[in-house]
Amino acid sequence: MSEVSQEGTGRSAAGDAERATQLVARLDLTNLNDDCSEADVAGLIKRAETPVGPVAAICIWPRFVAFARRELSPHIRVATVVNFPHGGDDVEATLDETRQAIGDGADEIDLVIAYERVAEDPGFVEAQVRTIKAHCGGRPLKAILETGKLYDEATIERAALAALSGGADFLKTSTGKVEINATPASARILLEAIARDGRGVGFKPAGGIKTFEDADAYMTLAETICGTDYPTAERFRLGASGVLADLLAVAEGRERQSGKGGY
């Protein structure tokens, strides 16, 4: 079962098609599989130019950034991950990853925070985010909080506030590598923290987004909490790969399959 469900959207088929097209333009098409190859990234690049327009970005392992930036259209961004997926606390190693990724042409950095230290030492996470942000060369930094490993609302909020205080440009729920990834409950906590912060920080739910209804529900939640003008492609992203087929089916008015997908 998908982690987000709705009893219909209340829109017409044409309205759903327009919404699905908007969601495609906010998609970080992702392959962070352990066995990902250059050929897989080439396939991702091909899929990124869809019949209803390009996705916002592709999100890939750092080792493929240089290849992707050479092959990908300039209007599609290359996002990559650092300190991924385990969120360790070796800041120097993460800095090395970040510098290499920027040098290879990454447009966005998705950093896994040291989430196991959040409960007792949120100041470390704040400093970690601030340090990596300072070496991104002005590129957006998405802080991955791994909310499914934080267990309670207070700790999720503590992680969000630490990342915001460190200057994160986005709050991202998850790596997609653990049992519990994006959920409506964790999304609400992050969005409410973003709304209180007031700087227009972005939001990216990731993992478990498999259907149009899943994606639409997260965008609707963002509109409800942060305002209808909030979820632009610069401030709202979906971390997913398998959802693209369903979004395209809705956008093009085609028959849909049974919402399945990875990440």
Side-chain angles (χ1 to χ4, degrees), residues 122-123 125-131 133 143 157-169 171 193 197 199 201:
V125 171
E126 178 181 339
Q128 179 189 38
V129 171
R130 182 177 294 110
T131 299
K133 168 70 175 173
E157 183 179 30
R158 189 174 295 120
L161 295 178
L164 290 170
S165 295
D169 299 295
L171 298 184
D197 180 76
R199 292 181 294 120
V201 169

Side-chain angles (χ1 to χ4, degrees), residues 20-27 29 44-58 72-73 75-76 241 243-245 247-249 251-252 254:
T21 299
Q22 294 171 353
L23 289 164
V24 168
R26 290 156 175 78
L27 181 63
L29 192 62
L44 202 70
I45 290 169
K46 185 176 181 179
R47 293 174 62 207
E49 295 279 7
T50 85
V52 300
V55 301
I58 64 169
L72 194 62
S73 298
H75 59 274
I76 300 177
S241 182
V243 74
L244 179 59
L247 293 181
L248 290 176
E252 298 177 311
R254 295 185 282 104

